[in-house]
Amino acid sequence: MKTIYRKAALGLAAAMLMAGGASVVQAASLVQISLWDKGASTEMPMGLAYATPGIDLAKATMGIKALPGVVKAGEVTFNVKNDSKDTIHEMIVMHLADPSKPLPYVDSENRVDEDKAGDKGEVSELDPGKSGTLTVDLIAGKYLLICNVPGHYAAGMWAEFTVEP
C-alpha cells in the first residue's frame, strides 16, 4: 500500500512540476471579434472614420466588437465572425504609428489605403454568418481593427485595440 501512495505522490509532484513549467510559456492571446450591422436596408451614415473631429459613433449602423480589447504583446489569435444577416464584411489589423492621426483614405475608392496604413493581417471578405481566424505577432502599441469593404470604415466600422508590453 505504501508503494501505491509513494507512486501517486511522485506522479502528483511530477504533474505539478510540469504544470508549473508550462506556465512559463505564454499562450497566444485569443480575441473574439464580432462584425455587425443593422441590415443592408439601413442607410450608412458617412464621416464616422477614426480620428474624425466631433465623431458620434452612436450614429453608426455597423461596427466591430473586440473582446478583450487589450492583450499582451506576442502572438494574438483573432476569431472573427460576421454576425450580419445580409452583408459581407472583413477585419483588418492596422498598427497606428500615430494614434492621433486618421488612416490614409482614398476618397475615390471610399476605403483606407491598406499599404500606407500599416496592414498587419486580415480575414478577408466573410459572407454573412461565416467565420475566419487570423494569428499575428503584435508588438506593444495602439491598433485599429477595420472593415475596408467600400464605405464601411467611414460608416464607423472600426474598433480601437491595444497591445501592452
Side-chain angles (χ1 to χ4, degrees), residues 29-31 66-73 141-142 160-165:
S29 295
L30 183 61
V31 182
L67 290 174
V70 179
V71 297
K72 293 284 187 193
K142 296 286 185 182
E160 294 175 296
F161 186 74
T162 303
V163 178
E164 296 181 334

Side-chain angles (χ1 to χ4, degrees), residues 6-17:
R6 189 178 341 201
K7 285 183 181 177
L10 285 173
L12 179 60
M16 289 173 69
L17 282 172

Side-chain angles (χ1 to χ4, degrees), residues 31-35 64-66 77-81 89-94 119 121-126 132-136 144-149 157:
V31 182
Q32 300 297 330
I33 302 291
S34 170
L35 308 174
I64 297 177
K65 184 174 184 177
T77 298
F78 295 92
N79 285 340
V80 183
K81 180 153 192 250
H89 292 299
E90 65 184 1
M91 191 232 27
I92 303 174
V93 179
M94 299 284 188
D119 181 348
E122 67 183 81
V123 175
S124 297
E125 291 85 19
L126 287 173
T133 302
L134 170 68
T135 300
V136 289
L144 205 59
L145 309 177
I146 72 167
C147 177
N148 209 21
V149 170
M157 196 159 187

Side-chain angles (χ1 to χ4, degrees), residues 1 7 12 17-18 20-21 39 42 74 86 89 103 105-106 138 157 163:
M1 198 70 153
K7 285 183 181 177
L12 179 60
L17 282 172
M18 289 171 54
T42 306
D86 53 16
H89 292 299
L103 295 178
Y105 197 75
V106 181
L138 299 177
M157 196 159 187
V163 178

Side-chain angles (χ1 to χ4, degrees), residues 74-116:
E75 194 171 90
V76 179
T77 298
F78 295 92
N79 285 340
V80 183
K81 180 153 192 250
N82 182 356
D83 288 318
S84 175
K85 294 190 180 359
D86 53 16
T87 305
I88 292 173
H89 292 299
E90 65 184 1
M91 191 232 27
I92 303 174
V93 179
M94 299 284 188
H95 182 252
L96 294 171
D98 183 348
S100 68
K101 292 187 177 173
L103 295 178
Y105 197 75
V106 181
D107 287 320
S108 62
E109 297 177 14
N110 207 11
R111 55 195 312 259
V112 171
D113 184 329
E114 294 175 25
D115 294 331
K116 289 182 181 176

Side-chain angles (χ1 to χ4, degrees), residues 31-52:
V31 182
Q32 300 297 330
I33 302 291
S34 170
L35 308 174
W36 62 269
D37 62 61
K38 295 181 180 179
S41 61
T42 306
E43 186 177 330
M44 283 193 310
M46 298 315 250
L48 299 177
Y50 175 77
T52 301

